[in-house]
Amino acid sequence: MEIIIRPTAESAADLVARVIADELRAKPDLVLGLATGKTMEAVYANLVRMHRLEGIDFSRCRTFNLDEYVGLPGSDRNSYRHYMNHNLFLNVNVDLKNTHLPDGAAADIEAECRHYEQLIAQCDGIDLQLLGIGLSGHLGFNEPVSSFRSRTRVKVLSPVTLAQNGKFFPTPEQMPRHAITMGMGTILDSRRCLFLATGAEKAEIVAKALEGPVTSMIPATALQFHPRCTVVIDEAAAGLLKEADYYRWIFANDLQWKAYRGNGELPHRNGHAHNGVPAGQAIARS
Ligand code: GLP
């Protein structure tokens, strides 16, 4: 896991969008896993801007979203299909036929979940999976005690999630109690994970997810097992991390991030990180 702390929510979202754009440039038919939520709106706004100004090309890209509410057709303005169409898909040159979300209005929900896994497999799996985190510690809608080996299925939404997302519905009662979500196993199978969290409200759950013991009570802790997970957070969300200086030092010295750092970030002043690794020494990523 590599943990990158950016000064503001804007700069964190900007870095995430640049990573996605670079992956798209390197592999134009990228299989891109997408996420929803307020946090991601800035990422999608950046991607739309990069598409317009820099010609970032989505024409061959395939996308798979993490989740969708059960009972909401794509035409419902609270559906994640509606969110994706309006925040990203209709504003870039992606082929809508290549954009996938679970169908929350499917007559046979279990068949829909199996079908979604098959579609991902037919695309040879997800190259890059964008992830946010809910206050319950969920990824997608994998709520506490989700199995780390789970596949796409229906989950009951937790009271914490109902409280967090209910405010986006006309009345909280209108928020569905169930969602189809990629499983933790589906997410962990993706070749790279790109996690974004911003704001002080997320500081406690971010600290538990990144530094706490691995537990299905906080499904995001499973990312500690992923072989290539890039975590991007702002200072506010990093507020309760014990080892923030160590993460800053790695980011400041890791050559792969050179182009992303800008001028303001020099290697750690005293040449030693928290763990005593000398500045400039290669750090293995995990
Ligand atoms: C929803 C999504 C999650 C997302 C979360 C964060 O619950 N199912 O995938 O991580 O929202 O939302 P926000 O960015 O609004 O905090």
Side-chain angles (χ1 to χ4, degrees), residues 18-153:
R18 287 174 68 194
V19 170
I20 295 170
D22 286 346
E23 293 260 1
L24 256 177
R25 281 194 199 95
K27 187 181 178 200
D29 62 346
L30 192 75
V31 180
L32 180 58
L34 295 170
T36 50
K38 292 295 288 175
T39 314
M40 297 303 162
E41 289 175 7
V43 174
Y44 298 140
N46 267 309
L47 287 174
V48 170
R49 185 180 50 77
M50 291 163 106
H51 166 69
R52 289 182 183 151
L53 300 180
E54 299 171 27
I56 296 299
D57 181 16
F58 290 82
S59 61
R60 295 175 56 201
C61 177
R62 284 86 45 88
T63 72
F64 286 92
N65 265 77
L66 285 165
D67 46 18
E68 180 61 279
Y69 289 112
V70 170
L72 298 192
S75 54
D76 189 299
R77 50 185 307 111
N78 287 115
S79 70
Y80 284 161
R81 165 55 80 178
H82 184 276
Y83 171 107
M84 289 310 305
N85 282 352
H86 291 272
N87 281 287
L88 183 67
F89 298 154
L90 296 177
N91 302 320
V92 295
N93 64 336
V94 73
D95 184 341
L96 277 182
K97 285 201 299 294
N98 290 335
T99 67
H100 306 280
L101 286 93
D103 179 2
D108 184 340
I109 291 284
E110 286 189 13
E112 173 62 14
C113 295
R114 286 193 299 275
H115 176 60
Y116 204 62
E117 286 282 335
Q118 284 161 4
L119 282 176
I120 294 171
Q122 279 164 19
C123 290
D124 195 27
I126 292 168
D127 291 310
L128 176 66
Q129 177 64 57
L130 184 59
L131 295 165
I133 188 169
L135 294 176
S136 69
H138 71 209
L139 298 179
F141 274 129
N142 289 282
E143 296 286 30
V145 297
S146 286
S147 160
F148 287 174
R149 295 182 63 184
S150 51
R151 313 303 303 189
T152 301
R153 69 216 184 291

